[in-house]
Amino acid sequence: MNITFWQRHPLAVIVLAQLCGTSLWFSVNGVGLSLSRDLGFSEVDLGRLTLAVQAGFICGTLFIATTGLADRFRASRIFALSCLAGALVNAGFVLAAQHMPLAMLLRFCTGLCLAGIYPLGMKLVIGWTPRHTGAALAWLVGMLTLGTALPHLLRGSTLGMPWEWPLLGASLLALLGGAAIHRLGDGPQLPPPSGKARLTDGLAALGEGRFRAVAGGYFGHCWELYAFWMLTPFLVYREIERLAASTDLVAWLSFGVIALGLAGCVGGGLVSRHLGSLWVSRWALAASGTICLAYPLLAWAPPGLLLVLLFLWGLTVIADSPQFSALAAATAPRERIGSTLAVMNAVGFALTIPAIALTTTLWALQDVWVLWWLLPGPILGLWALRRASAQELVYHPCLVRSHYQKQDRHPPDRL
């Protein structure tokens, strides 16, 4: 495979590398049932390990944003080094799992490494495919979703084997992803790395009303998303028990629920080219919020019906994410896109911590009613997007196109 092929299909390379790199994110959750059985981990323990990853990711993105690291060095190099470090740290968890403080530290470091994978992957997409950012980011976030689900698939395919195997498999995938991006390099549409960075560079976009409105919708989306992904094996296990079916199905069904978000992202990206990213964001957030509201009310419905509802939730809960990123990229300073997206990620993922802490702590007491703790996310997110309706630049693609033409630039995407 020569370099010409890689440059002819950069989006495919980037999204597959993102899939491999982000398999580290929920690698421990994929073997959660095995850890509970073999090492005595509780739901709270698994929640703490997930929170450690989120905290590491937040610290990493804040460091990238406030130092301007994402805009000072080549994005492909940061991505590749982050994959290498993440693979090593994730593999180290195999040796430290029985020592909770060390295990949490390693998961925190995994989050730090992911901060060099996810935001930098978005920057690489913008650099290689600037004219259809919404559709391209849909594939990228879709692969993040599939990467999140991948540990459940790895576990399902290694049932009967030690739980260490899926973790080591995720590390191997991360190495492959980093190698692919290192060979691809940065896209031609990004400015060259700058040698200077100021603290305010990554925060500059927060002073723009249009960016704040979009970011508010994204923050509400984050409150719901990762807590739902954390709870997915618990929700699936509940219905499998009610069906008196084999618990071996939990890993496969959990993978299916989360992985279906890939279809939601790609489908939303296609729709965004006709109806706009804002339209997709609003309706996806409304759909997932409605399911969040209805699920506990249907707690005693047939298990099969609730599993179908879970699949619908998995389809809609992530469909708005790439469109929020596309809208944010449209209003971010071009020379600081990496830092701006890192700031938005950092704040959004900070909101996942209380959501995950609440739901995992209260699960044993409230069962499915704990899902209503996620409702503030969709509600406040939709309220923020309603405020965005007053911003003509967000709503009208022709104005966006005109705005960029005056600057002799291509619009990031049809909004």
Side-chain angles (χ1 to χ4, degrees):
M1 197 178 292
N2 56 45
I3 192 67
T4 303
F5 172 84
W6 296 79
Q7 293 182 341
R8 282 181 180 177
H9 307 280
L11 181 59
V13 174
I14 295 168
V15 298
L16 288 175
Q18 183 86 340
L19 166 66
C20 293
T22 53
S23 66
L24 302 174
W25 212 310
F26 273 56
S27 58
V28 170
N29 301 77
V31 295
L33 293 179
S34 297
L35 292 175
S36 298
R37 183 184 63 247
D38 298 344
L39 302 182
F41 280 28
S42 66
E43 293 91 347
V44 174
D45 293 327
L46 293 173
R48 287 173 179 167
L49 291 171
T50 304
L51 289 176
V53 178
Q54 303 300 89
F57 181 83
I58 293 162
C59 291
T61 50
L62 283 175
F63 176 77
I64 287 174
T66 55
T67 61
L69 184 67
D71 300 303
R72 295 176 63 190
F73 301 98
R74 296 177 65 86
S76 56
R77 291 180 182 175
I78 298 175
F79 189 105
L81 289 173
S82 298
C83 283
L84 173 60
L88 295 175
V89 171
N90 183 71
F93 182 87
V94 171
L95 302 176
Q98 297 186 40
H99 308 284
M100 183 57 70
L102 182 56
M104 290 184 65
L105 176 61
L106 288 174
R107 294 308 289 166
F108 177 85
C109 292
T110 303
L112 286 176
C113 297
L114 286 164
I117 297 174
Y118 180 37
L120 275 297
M122 288 192 287
K123 183 176 180 180
L124 287 165
V125 165
I126 294 167
W128 282 102
T129 58
R131 300 195 66 178
H132 298 292
T133 308
L137 286 176
W139 278 101
L140 186 79
V141 179
M143 285 303 177
L144 164 68
T145 306
L146 194 58
T148 301
L150 200 56
H152 297 289
L153 177 63
L154 290 172
R155 187 55 191 152
S157 60
T158 57
L159 287 171
M161 298 182 183
W163 56 264
E164 292 88 347
W165 283 94
L167 287 174
L168 295 176
S171 290
L172 177 60
L173 289 173
L175 291 175
L176 294 175
I181 292 297
H182 184 266
R183 184 169 187 181
L184 176 66
D186 286 16
Q189 298 300 325
L190 288 176
S194 62
K196 299 179 181 179
R198 295 175 298 174
L199 178 64
T200 55
D201 286 339
L203 305 174
L206 293 175
E208 171 60 53
R210 295 166 299 175
F211 179 82
R212 286 201 308 271
V214 173
Y218 175 76
F219 298 154
H221 152 82
C222 286
W223 176 273
E224 176 193 18
L225 174 64
Y226 276 84
F228 169 70
W229 280 349
M230 174 68 205
L231 291 174
T232 294
F234 301 158
L235 294 168
V236 170
Y237 184 80
R238 178 182 185 271
E239 305 314 320
I240 292 299
E241 272 199 324
R242 292 175 65 204
L243 286 170
S246 171
T247 56
D248 290 349
L249 292 173
V250 173
W252 292 103
L253 290 175
S254 297
F255 167 77
V257 169
I258 299 174
L260 197 57
L262 170 61
C265 287
V266 175
L270 294 174
V271 173
S272 74
R273 300 183 69 171
H274 301 284
L275 298 177
S277 293
L278 183 60
W279 189 93
V280 173
S281 299
R282 292 176 65 186
W283 282 99
L285 198 55
S288 64
T290 300
I291 297 173
C292 182
L293 174 65
Y295 197 97
L297 298 174
L298 299 172
W300 304 110
L305 175 61
L306 289 180
L307 286 173
V308 169
L309 202 58
L310 278 178
F311 276 97
L312 289 175
W313 201 351
L315 179 73
T316 58
V317 73
I318 187 65
D320 46 359
S321 186
Q323 306 313 317
F324 283 128
S325 297
L327 291 166
T331 55
R334 182 174 180 268
E335 67 279 4
R336 294 298 178 201
I337 286 177
S339 297
T340 299
L341 292 177
V343 166
M344 191 175 80
N345 287 159
V347 177
F349 279 82
L351 292 172
T352 69
I353 290 182
I356 292 173
L358 274 171
T359 51
T360 54
T361 301
L362 297 176
W363 171 260
L365 298 174
Q366 298 183 355
D367 199 50
V368 294
W369 294 98
V370 79
L371 295 174
W372 278 5
W373 288 104
L374 305 184
L375 274 176
I379 291 172
L380 295 177
L382 287 170
W383 178 79
L385 291 181
R386 185 184 176 198
R387 293 173 55 200
S389 66
Q391 307 293 339
E392 283 191 320
L393 186 58
V394 174
Y395 255 111
H396 300 295
C398 59
L399 294 180
V400 176
R401 211 170 277 117
S402 173
H403 169 74
Y404 276 85
Q405 286 170 351
K406 289 178 182 178
Q407 302 181 41
D408 193 28
R409 293 166 55 191
H410 292 295
D413 190 25
R414 172 173 177 145
L415 300 181

PDB file of all heavy atoms in Angstrom, residues 238-239 242 294-301 306 367-369:
ATOM      1  N   ARG A 238     -30.215  -6.246  32.910  1.00  0.00           N
ATOM      2  CA  ARG A 238     -31.535  -6.282  33.562  1.00  0.00           C
ATOM      3  C   ARG A 238     -32.551  -7.007  32.682  1.00  0.00           C
ATOM      4  O   ARG A 238     -33.315  -7.856  33.171  1.00  0.00           O
ATOM      5  CB  ARG A 238     -32.006  -4.854  33.838  1.00  0.00           C
ATOM      6  CG  ARG A 238     -33.387  -4.758  34.479  1.00  0.00           C
ATOM      7  CD  ARG A 238     -33.777  -3.298  34.666  1.00  0.00           C
ATOM      8  NE  ARG A 238     -35.048  -3.176  35.374  1.00  0.00           N
ATOM      9  CZ  ARG A 238     -36.243  -3.153  34.783  1.00  0.00           C
ATOM     10  NH1 ARG A 238     -36.321  -3.252  33.452  1.00  0.00           N
ATOM     11  NH2 ARG A 238     -37.351  -3.054  35.489  1.00  0.00           N
ATOM     12  N   GLU A 239     -32.559  -6.702  31.401  1.00  0.00           N
ATOM     13  CA  GLU A 239     -33.546  -7.331  30.514  1.00  0.00           C
ATOM     14  C   GLU A 239     -33.185  -8.781  30.208  1.00  0.00           C
ATOM     15  O   GLU A 239     -34.073  -9.616  30.056  1.00  0.00           O
ATOM     16  CB  GLU A 239     -33.663  -6.519  29.216  1.00  0.00           C
ATOM     17  CG  GLU A 239     -33.990  -5.048  29.417  1.00  0.00           C
ATOM     18  CD  GLU A 239     -35.117  -4.833  30.412  1.00  0.00           C
ATOM     19  OE1 GLU A 239     -36.099  -5.600  30.404  1.00  0.00           O
ATOM     20  OE2 GLU A 239     -35.000  -3.900  31.227  1.00  0.00           O
ATOM     21  N   ARG A 242     -34.470 -10.786  33.052  1.00  0.00           N
ATOM     22  CA  ARG A 242     -35.925 -10.935  32.973  1.00  0.00           C
ATOM     23  C   ARG A 242     -36.318 -11.958  31.909  1.00  0.00           C
ATOM     24  O   ARG A 242     -37.340 -12.631  32.033  1.00  0.00           O
ATOM     25  CB  ARG A 242     -36.577  -9.590  32.666  1.00  0.00           C
ATOM     26  CG  ARG A 242     -36.453  -8.581  33.816  1.00  0.00           C
ATOM     27  CD  ARG A 242     -37.014  -7.234  33.407  1.00  0.00           C
ATOM     28  NE  ARG A 242     -38.440  -7.324  33.169  1.00  0.00           N
ATOM     29  CZ  ARG A 242     -39.125  -6.495  32.385  1.00  0.00           C
ATOM     30  NH1 ARG A 242     -38.496  -5.523  31.740  1.00  0.00           N
ATOM     31  NH2 ARG A 242     -40.422  -6.646  32.221  1.00  0.00           N
ATOM     32  N   ALA A 294     -39.147   8.405  28.695  1.00  0.00           N
ATOM     33  CA  ALA A 294     -40.133   7.325  28.620  1.00  0.00           C
ATOM     34  C   ALA A 294     -39.639   6.009  29.212  1.00  0.00           C
ATOM     35  O   ALA A 294     -40.445   5.219  29.718  1.00  0.00           O
ATOM     36  CB  ALA A 294     -40.534   7.117  27.162  1.00  0.00           C
ATOM     37  N   TYR A 295     -38.335   5.756  29.176  1.00  0.00           N
ATOM     38  CA  TYR A 295     -37.824   4.433  29.530  1.00  0.00           C
ATOM     39  C   TYR A 295     -38.232   3.985  30.939  1.00  0.00           C
ATOM     40  O   TYR A 295     -38.750   2.871  31.115  1.00  0.00           O
ATOM     41  CB  TYR A 295     -36.305   4.387  29.370  1.00  0.00           C
ATOM     42  CG  TYR A 295     -35.743   2.989  29.319  1.00  0.00           C
ATOM     43  CD1 TYR A 295     -35.474   2.380  28.106  1.00  0.00           C
ATOM     44  CD2 TYR A 295     -35.477   2.284  30.487  1.00  0.00           C
ATOM     45  CE1 TYR A 295     -34.951   1.096  28.049  1.00  0.00           C
ATOM     46  CE2 TYR A 295     -34.966   0.999  30.446  1.00  0.00           C
ATOM     47  CZ  TYR A 295     -34.705   0.404  29.223  1.00  0.00           C
ATOM     48  OH  TYR A 295     -34.211  -0.879  29.184  1.00  0.00           O
ATOM     49  N   PRO A 296     -38.019   4.810  31.979  1.00  0.00           N
ATOM     50  CA  PRO A 296     -38.432   4.354  33.317  1.00  0.00           C
ATOM     51  C   PRO A 296     -39.939   4.136  33.440  1.00  0.00           C
ATOM     52  O   PRO A 296     -40.378   3.269  34.204  1.00  0.00           O
ATOM     53  CB  PRO A 296     -37.965   5.500  34.231  1.00  0.00           C
ATOM     54  CG  PRO A 296     -36.879   6.167  33.470  1.00  0.00           C
ATOM     55  CD  PRO A 296     -37.305   6.098  32.043  1.00  0.00           C
ATOM     56  N   LEU A 297     -40.721   4.899  32.695  1.00  0.00           N
ATOM     57  CA  LEU A 297     -42.178   4.732  32.741  1.00  0.00           C
ATOM     58  C   LEU A 297     -42.612   3.406  32.132  1.00  0.00           C
ATOM     59  O   LEU A 297     -43.709   2.910  32.421  1.00  0.00           O
ATOM     60  CB  LEU A 297     -42.859   5.892  32.010  1.00  0.00           C
ATOM     61  CG  LEU A 297     -42.610   7.289  32.594  1.00  0.00           C
ATOM     62  CD1 LEU A 297     -43.219   8.356  31.690  1.00  0.00           C
ATOM     63  CD2 LEU A 297     -43.176   7.394  34.009  1.00  0.00           C
ATOM     64  N   LEU A 298     -41.748   2.831  31.305  1.00  0.00           N
ATOM     65  CA  LEU A 298     -42.038   1.542  30.658  1.00  0.00           C
ATOM     66  C   LEU A 298     -41.235   0.409  31.282  1.00  0.00           C
ATOM     67  O   LEU A 298     -41.034  -0.631  30.658  1.00  0.00           O
ATOM     68  CB  LEU A 298     -41.719   1.636  29.168  1.00  0.00           C
ATOM     69  CG  LEU A 298     -42.515   2.680  28.360  1.00  0.00           C
ATOM     70  CD1 LEU A 298     -41.949   2.793  26.951  1.00  0.00           C
ATOM     71  CD2 LEU A 298     -43.988   2.304  28.326  1.00  0.00           C
ATOM     72  N   ALA A 299     -40.796   0.597  32.522  1.00  0.00           N
ATOM     73  CA  ALA A 299     -39.866  -0.343  33.155  1.00  0.00           C
ATOM     74  C   ALA A 299     -40.383  -1.771  33.209  1.00  0.00           C
ATOM     75  O   ALA A 299     -39.596  -2.718  33.199  1.00  0.00           O
ATOM     76  CB  ALA A 299     -39.519   0.135  34.570  1.00  0.00           C
ATOM     77  N   TRP A 300     -41.705  -1.939  33.280  1.00  0.00           N
ATOM     78  CA  TRP A 300     -42.259  -3.281  33.407  1.00  0.00           C
ATOM     79  C   TRP A 300     -42.863  -3.773  32.101  1.00  0.00           C
ATOM     80  O   TRP A 300     -43.607  -4.741  32.074  1.00  0.00           O
ATOM     81  CB  TRP A 300     -43.300  -3.319  34.526  1.00  0.00           C
ATOM     82  CG  TRP A 300     -42.696  -2.844  35.810  1.00  0.00           C
ATOM     83  CD1 TRP A 300     -42.958  -1.698  36.475  1.00  0.00           C
ATOM     84  CD2 TRP A 300     -41.663  -3.504  36.552  1.00  0.00           C
ATOM     85  NE1 TRP A 300     -42.167  -1.571  37.585  1.00  0.00           N
ATOM     86  CE2 TRP A 300     -41.362  -2.682  37.677  1.00  0.00           C
ATOM     87  CE3 TRP A 300     -40.956  -4.693  36.382  1.00  0.00           C
ATOM     88  CZ2 TRP A 300     -40.387  -3.022  38.602  1.00  0.00           C
ATOM     89  CZ3 TRP A 300     -39.997  -5.023  37.320  1.00  0.00           C
ATOM     90  CH2 TRP A 300     -39.718  -4.202  38.418  1.00  0.00           C
ATOM     91  N   ALA A 301     -42.545  -3.099  31.013  1.00  0.00           N
ATOM     92  CA  ALA A 301     -42.946  -3.576  29.686  1.00  0.00           C
ATOM     93  C   ALA A 301     -42.161  -4.840  29.350  1.00  0.00           C
ATOM     94  O   ALA A 301     -41.166  -5.170  30.007  1.00  0.00           O
ATOM     95  CB  ALA A 301     -42.694  -2.489  28.651  1.00  0.00           C
ATOM     96  N   LEU A 306     -38.195  -3.233  25.632  1.00  0.00           N
ATOM     97  CA  LEU A 306     -37.211  -2.336  26.227  1.00  0.00           C
ATOM     98  C   LEU A 306     -35.851  -2.449  25.532  1.00  0.00           C
ATOM     99  O   LEU A 306     -35.119  -1.460  25.411  1.00  0.00           O
ATOM    100  CB  LEU A 306     -37.073  -2.632  27.721  1.00  0.00           C
ATOM    101  CG  LEU A 306     -38.279  -2.214  28.580  1.00  0.00           C
ATOM    102  CD1 LEU A 306     -38.037  -2.551  30.035  1.00  0.00           C
ATOM    103  CD2 LEU A 306     -38.545  -0.726  28.430  1.00  0.00           C
ATOM    104  N   ASP A 367     -32.592   1.745  40.346  1.00  0.00           N
ATOM    105  CA  ASP A 367     -32.772   0.926  39.156  1.00  0.00           C
ATOM    106  C   ASP A 367     -32.951   1.844  37.932  1.00  0.00           C
ATOM    107  O   ASP A 367     -32.237   2.835  37.801  1.00  0.00           O
ATOM    108  CB  ASP A 367     -33.946  -0.023  39.346  1.00  0.00           C
ATOM    109  CG  ASP A 367     -33.926  -1.193  38.379  1.00  0.00           C
ATOM    110  OD1 ASP A 367     -32.884  -1.853  38.261  1.00  0.00           O
ATOM    111  OD2 ASP A 367     -34.950  -1.425  37.719  1.00  0.00           O
ATOM    112  N   VAL A 368     -33.899   1.556  37.050  1.00  0.00           N
ATOM    113  CA  VAL A 368     -34.020   2.328  35.815  1.00  0.00           C
ATOM    114  C   VAL A 368     -34.459   3.767  36.043  1.00  0.00           C
ATOM    115  O   VAL A 368     -34.275   4.627  35.169  1.00  0.00           O
ATOM    116  CB  VAL A 368     -34.994   1.648  34.825  1.00  0.00           C
ATOM    117  CG1 VAL A 368     -34.436   0.319  34.362  1.00  0.00           C
ATOM    118  CG2 VAL A 368     -36.367   1.488  35.435  1.00  0.00           C
ATOM    119  N   TRP A 369     -35.022   4.064  37.217  1.00  0.00           N
ATOM    120  CA  TRP A 369     -35.425   5.447  37.483  1.00  0.00           C
ATOM    121  C   TRP A 369     -34.226   6.386  37.565  1.00  0.00           C
ATOM    122  O   TRP A 369     -34.375   7.609  37.483  1.00  0.00           O
ATOM    123  CB  TRP A 369     -36.243   5.523  38.784  1.00  0.00           C
ATOM    124  CG  TRP A 369     -37.552   4.805  38.651  1.00  0.00           C
ATOM    125  CD1 TRP A 369     -37.841   3.539  39.059  1.00  0.00           C
ATOM    126  CD2 TRP A 369     -38.741   5.309  38.036  1.00  0.00           C
ATOM    127  NE1 TRP A 369     -39.130   3.212  38.759  1.00  0.00           N
ATOM    128  CE2 TRP A 369     -39.717   4.283  38.128  1.00  0.00           C
ATOM    129  CE3 TRP A 369     -39.081   6.518  37.416  1.00  0.00           C
ATOM    130  CZ2 TRP A 369     -41.010   4.431  37.617  1.00  0.00           C
ATOM    131  CZ3 TRP A 369     -40.367   6.667  36.918  1.00  0.00           C
ATOM    132  CH2 TRP A 369     -41.312   5.645  37.009  1.00  0.00           C
TER     133      TRP A 369
END
